[in-house]
Amino acid sequence: MVSMQSPIRNRKYATEITPDNDGETVCIAGWVHEKRDLGGVFFLIVRDLSGFAQVTLNRKKTEKDLFARVKKVPRESVVAIEGKVKSESKAPNGYEIIPERMEVLSEASQVLPLDTTEKVGAELDTRLDARFMDLRIERTKQIFIIRSRVLKAIREFLDERGFIEINTPKIVSAATEGGTALFPISYFEREAFLNQSPQLYKQMLMASGFDRVYEIAPIFRAEEHDTTKHLNEATSVDIEVAFVSDKEVMAILEELIAFVYAKVRGYPGLAKLNLNLEVPKIPFRRITYEEAIEAVSEAGEEIEWGEDLGTSAERTLGAMIGELYFITDWPCAIKPFYAQPADAEAKSKDRDTCNAFDLMHPRVELASGSQRVHSYELLKRNIESKGLSADSFEFYLDTFRFGMPPHAGWGLGIDRLLMSMLEIENIREVVLFPRDRRRLAP
Ligand code: AMO
């Protein structure tokens, strides 16, 4: 059978074995989830990626040494067990294993940082400190299997629509998102930063003729605040599309969200999260920034034209609307330099609005995007009017001088998409090893 020196041959997952295998010899390997001593019978529950298998030992019938070793093996140790399958309707998956041999591949220390059976709950911080073990808990594990499915669905959707997947540098020389601070790093004799967004690079590729690009990658935000929706390292899906306006990329965004929900909806692991996922109806509602501030002001939260909507206003609006929606026609002053100002005739009341939008979930902002400025002169003016130095954007600005098509795009926070979709309160729950104001390890 198995040996520590050799790979485990013929290993079967718990859910691959069925009552129909009655009488066959199988080998399972995994973690000791639970031990139950009922006097005459002893149960060892083994957990693997697929689920649980019950190993049943009869005190009288089992060889003495094996019985003693099984009884003694500490919980969460890694074991391989060979034995005969016996159909048993009361056991998980309808069978039990009558063991013939057990090898302890790695013995766990007796005092565990977490209870993987969830009989004893733990604070999120304690769970994140022992994340490797937290991931052994069924509910946590399912969140990350769903996260992987969401990423696959996003790639499938964008690949089918002819997008090219790109990778852009994460060590950069310039800021893109005004308002959020940068993490400086030392780059030999110069100062550099961790990128806040692939913004400049995805736009530059529009000048290269790539037409439709996407990137799924980390973004770094040196935000001081410690909230349930902010991370200092988040993951975003960014797209950029040439020869279109904000309207077309908004349609791509809502179709993508509906596609992802539909893909995840059929996944059986959702049951572990007690969720009944409904695919949102598209098109999503669109309200202008002006309508948004009027609505929240009527609800008693005065917001002046040109002020950003804070968390409280977002919640008020979200409660009023109750579903996914877009906020459009933002004041130029509170959107980045690359957002295209609205045409004169599209402006309301002579106010400076731009063709930018945010996609909102009732609880949190999920994405933002815009049609981009593609005129070199206007872009340069905008950069300067935001108090930034055009010199530090030269590599970017230059691409606008040699044939830049009109273009538009957006960035969607994957972590926020997951927390909102799975109705999870704290964004840290959907990130394997979150980075926040206080957490740099594990
Ligand atoms: P923005 O700064 O709005 O736009 O970021 C896009 C989306 O990324 C997510 N996000 C975050 N998630 C968790 N923690 C954070 N600190 C955090 N910061 C941002 C949000 C947000 O909506 N360049 C533009 C996009 C574009 O116009 O293409 C940008 O970065 O879900």
Side-chain angles (χ1 to χ4, degrees):
M1 111 131 194
V2 290
S3 126
M4 283 202 229
Q5 276 75 39
S6 66
I8 295 160
R9 268 185 279 279
N10 305 323
R11 178 189 176 203
K12 285 244 186 307
Y13 277 120
T15 53
E16 279 182 292
I17 304 168
T18 71
D20 292 344
N21 299 114
D22 191 284
E24 288 172 28
T25 299
V26 293
C27 174
I28 56 162
W31 287 258
V32 174
H33 185 66
E34 259 195 292
K35 301 196 292 181
R36 284 186 222 134
D37 192 348
L38 305 185
V41 195
F42 190 90
F43 296 117
L44 185 83
I45 308 296
V46 176
R47 184 186 68 242
D48 64 21
L49 176 66
S50 76
F52 301 96
Q54 175 177 306
V55 177
T56 307
L57 295 91
N58 186 303
R59 189 180 292 271
K60 290 207 182 103
K61 293 187 194 155
T62 313
E63 193 238 315
K64 250 197 173 135
D65 175 58
L66 177 63
F67 191 89
R69 287 175 55 239
V70 171
K71 207 175 154 188
K72 198 172 101 252
V73 63
R75 271 178 56 204
E76 295 305 320
S77 298
V78 178
V79 295
I81 289 174
E82 194 176 75
K84 280 226 161 56
V85 178
K86 187 163 163 263
S87 151
E88 168 56 65
S89 60
K90 282 188 251 131
N93 307 306
Y95 71 87
E96 58 187 0
I97 293 175
I98 312 301
E100 282 154 12
R101 293 195 234 198
M102 173 182 77
E103 182 154 358
V104 179
L105 300 173
S106 168
E107 189 173 302
S109 296
Q110 297 275 359
V111 182
L112 300 171
L114 285 178
D115 174 20
T116 55
T117 63
E118 286 188 280
K119 284 179 189 137
V120 184
E123 295 291 325
L124 183 57
D125 260 337
T126 312
R127 290 175 38 212
L128 292 175
D129 286 342
R131 192 55 143 171
F132 75 97
M133 188 162 279
D134 182 44
L135 292 162
R136 296 182 189 176
I137 296 171
E138 207 42 42
R139 180 179 179 277
T140 316
K141 179 170 86 188
Q142 290 305 335
I143 292 173
F144 291 94
I145 295 176
I146 295 169
R147 186 173 167 120
S148 160
R149 288 181 166 246
V150 165
L151 291 170
K152 280 203 182 90
I154 292 171
R155 287 200 163 89
E156 183 184 334
F157 178 92
L158 294 170
D159 290 344
E160 270 175 12
R161 279 158 188 76
F163 279 79
I164 296 170
E165 183 168 3
I166 55 164
N167 302 109
T168 64
K170 304 303 151 211
I171 301 178
V172 298
S173 63
T176 56
E177 310 308 312
T180 48
L182 287 154
F183 282 115
I185 55 169
S186 74
Y187 192 69
F188 306 108
E189 64 286 354
R190 277 181 290 168
E191 186 178 50
F193 307 98
L194 294 177
N195 87 308
Q196 295 169 306
S197 155
Q199 185 66 35
L200 305 184
Y201 294 94
K202 60 178 182 170
Q203 282 194 262
M204 284 158 68
L205 290 167
M206 296 300 97
S208 306
F210 276 41
D211 276 17
R212 298 176 154 239
V213 299
Y214 75 95
E215 176 162 19
I216 303 181
I219 54 171
F220 302 92
R221 309 275 170 119
E223 286 160 350
E224 289 278 349
H225 35 248
D226 187 2
T227 77
T228 54
K229 61 177 186 181
H230 288 95
L231 293 163
N232 294 110
E233 177 177 344
T235 304
S236 89
V237 191
D238 272 85
I239 76 157
E240 204 62 29
V241 184
F243 302 101
V244 300
S245 75
D246 47 322
K247 306 292 176 298
E248 284 83 1
V249 292
M250 284 166 77
I252 294 174
L253 181 53
E254 59 197 354
E255 281 166 29
L256 170 75
I257 301 278
F259 182 85
V260 169
Y261 268 75
K263 280 275 165 174
V264 171
R265 196 170 187 269
Y267 174 59
L270 266 187
K272 297 275 172 1
L273 298 166
N274 295 324
L275 261 188
N276 184 19
L277 206 62
E278 291 213 9
V279 181
K281 290 206 176 48
I282 55 170
F284 300 152
R285 205 163 135 188
R286 279 126 167 96
I287 63 165
T288 64
Y289 165 85
E290 189 162 329
E291 287 163 347
I293 61 169
E294 266 166 27
V296 289
S297 297
E298 270 167 33
E301 278 185 67
E302 203 60 43
I303 294 191
E304 293 285 320
W305 169 270
E307 266 182 84
D308 211 344
L309 303 174
T311 300
S312 160
E314 280 178 13
R315 293 253 166 169
T316 306
L317 257 184
M320 285 174 179
I321 297 177
E323 56 187 12
L324 291 164
Y325 64 102
F326 283 108
I327 305 178
T328 64
D329 303 271
W330 286 80
C332 297
I334 49 172
K335 283 289 172 189
F337 57 80
Y338 49 76
Q340 172 73 29
D343 292 339
E345 61 270 24
K347 278 188 208 168
S348 82
K349 301 181 193 157
D350 286 332
R351 281 174 158 162
D352 279 332
T353 56
C354 62
N355 298 342
F357 57 87
D358 280 2
L359 172 64
M360 308 295 297
H361 179 273
R363 284 175 49 210
V364 68
E365 175 202 308
L366 295 183
S368 48
S370 59
Q371 183 185 340
R372 320 299 193 186
V373 174
H374 70 281
S375 140
Y376 171 82
E377 287 75 23
L378 178 56
L379 192 56
K380 190 157 181 255
R381 270 206 310 281
N382 271 4
I383 288 175
E384 283 162 352
S385 75
K386 297 269 180 195
L388 300 163
S389 129
D391 287 348
S392 52
F393 288 91
E394 199 181 346
F395 69 95
Y396 162 73
L397 268 171
D398 251 1
T399 60
F400 290 73
R401 292 172 50 222
F402 305 102
M404 172 62 93
H407 58 282
W410 44 252
L412 163 69
I414 293 285
D415 321 290
R416 291 204 181 159
L417 174 63
L418 267 148
M419 74 182 278
S420 59
M421 188 161 111
L422 302 182
E423 293 173 20
I424 287 172
E425 204 47 51
N426 195 318
I427 195 164
R428 292 163 184 78
E429 294 247 13
V430 304
V431 179
L432 281 173
F433 299 103
R435 290 290 171 261
D436 64 26
R437 188 72 185 83
R438 290 169 297 121
R439 188 173 287 279
L440 195 52

